Structure formats: C-alpha cells, structure tokens
Amino acid sequence: MKWCATSSGASPTSAPAQFAKIAEKFCRLVDGFARYEPLDWLALIARELGPLETAVKGLTGRRGVGEYSMLADIEQRHRMYVELKTFLGNMDDYWTEADLEVGDGVMTGSLSDNVTEIYFALRRGLAHWNKGPGEAGAAVGEWLSGFEVNWGYHLANLRSQLKHKATLH
C-alpha cells in the first residue's frame, strides 16, 4: 500500500524530528525490556503512548511516500513477539470484543503483539530517518502509512488495555 503526504522540512525542532525522538525513546524501552519487571515495564510503555500518539498527529500533512508491508521483517517481529509474550506471561493476553461475541473462551488480544507491531513500524521509519535529511520524507511516509494501516490500531488497543490493567492492580 502506498501513501503520500504533502509538506517538507526536518529541522531539529520540526514535527518529524520530535517524532523521531519520541519513536527512538519508545524503541529503546522495548529493546531493554529484560531489565525491568513486567509491570514496571508496562507502566513505562503506557507513559510513552500518549506522546507517541500526539507526535504522530503532528506529522499530518508532511511530505513523504511510504510503502507498508505486513511481510517486512516478519521473522524478527515473530521473534520479538515470542520474547515479549514469554516476558509478560499471563499478563499478555486480553479479551477483545470479537472474543466476547464468539464466546469460545479464547482470548486473541495480546499486549506483545501490539508492542511488536508499533516497535517495528517505528524502527522502519527510523531506519530512513537515521540516513540523514534526504530521507526525512521517506521516514515520515513510513510512519504515517504504517500508522494508518496498522500500528494506529495497535496503539489504540494497547492504550486501552494498559489503562484497564492499571485499574486492576
């Protein structure tokens, strides 16, 4: 799927630069998950979701072309998903609305899946961003197209579930 936006600029204080900084912080937190206890890590992740969502909305109207693929880095995504799922244990799964409608007793929601999808979408854009100013448009396109097609959904689910889990503990 291709996506285009319109406007340019990537000064250190621009919306894309701010987004890159927030994305990098989120990715470092995910990379370092093993240094934390699961509940502490989830609390840190939850704190980053608001700024991440605000920052991606600040990218609207920027120039760039992104091509989103569900198959890109599939093996690495699966590996991270399994590692996070093991790390979170019984805290990982949650009920979705579809699960409740089906009523078969199977939970299909996964915090690990949500985090993994967000992480890899951000990393894809950061790979462009870190090549320099000439790739800023590609980074923004990657982030926005991925948000629209996939990781925005995972961000909303993750925020909702972490808010819900915080009220249980």
Side-chain angles (χ1 to χ4, degrees):
M1 164 176 257
K2 269 203 181 214
W3 180 92
C4 279
T6 58
S7 171
S8 65
S11 71
T13 58
S14 69
Q18 290 301 316
F19 185 84
K21 184 176 176 182
I22 292 165
E24 186 63 47
K25 185 176 179 184
F26 181 88
C27 289
R28 277 194 314 269
L29 185 56
V30 174
D31 286 333
F33 76 89
R35 293 190 302 248
Y36 300 95
E37 291 297 320
L39 281 175
D40 296 337
W41 183 74
L42 288 173
L44 292 170
I45 289 290
R47 271 196 301 221
E48 296 305 318
L49 298 179
L52 190 58
E53 185 172 23
T54 300
V56 76
K57 289 177 181 176
L59 294 178
T60 304
R62 300 283 169 178
R63 183 180 58 193
V65 175
E67 232 180 276
Y68 185 78
S69 167
M70 292 295 286
L71 297 178
D73 45 42
I74 191 101
E75 289 179 20
Q76 296 92 339
R77 285 186 332 186
H78 179 70
R79 196 168 323 137
M80 173 172 277
Y81 165 75
V82 170
E83 288 175 8
L84 290 176
K85 189 161 186 60
T86 301
F87 172 70
L88 293 174
N90 64 0
M91 290 182 281
D92 185 60
D93 297 327
Y94 61 87
W95 297 105
T96 66
E97 285 185 34
D99 297 337
L100 300 176
E101 288 176 16
V102 171
D104 63 1
V106 177
M107 282 190 242
T108 61
S110 168
L111 299 176
S112 297
D113 179 53
N114 293 323
V115 170
T116 299
E117 292 298 320
I118 295 167
Y119 173 88
F120 276 92
L122 297 179
R123 275 283 172 225
R124 288 178 194 167
L126 286 168
H128 290 291
W129 183 263
N130 291 330
K131 290 178 185 174
E135 290 289 315
V140 169
E142 187 73 48
W143 290 321
L144 286 175
S145 64
F147 181 77
E148 183 110 355
V149 173
N150 185 36
W151 72 269
Y153 167 82
H154 288 281
L155 178 74
N157 283 342
L158 188 57
R159 283 187 82 186
S160 173
Q161 290 304 313
L162 291 179
K163 181 178 179 183
H164 176 71
K165 287 185 183 289
T167 63
L168 298 177
H169 297 292

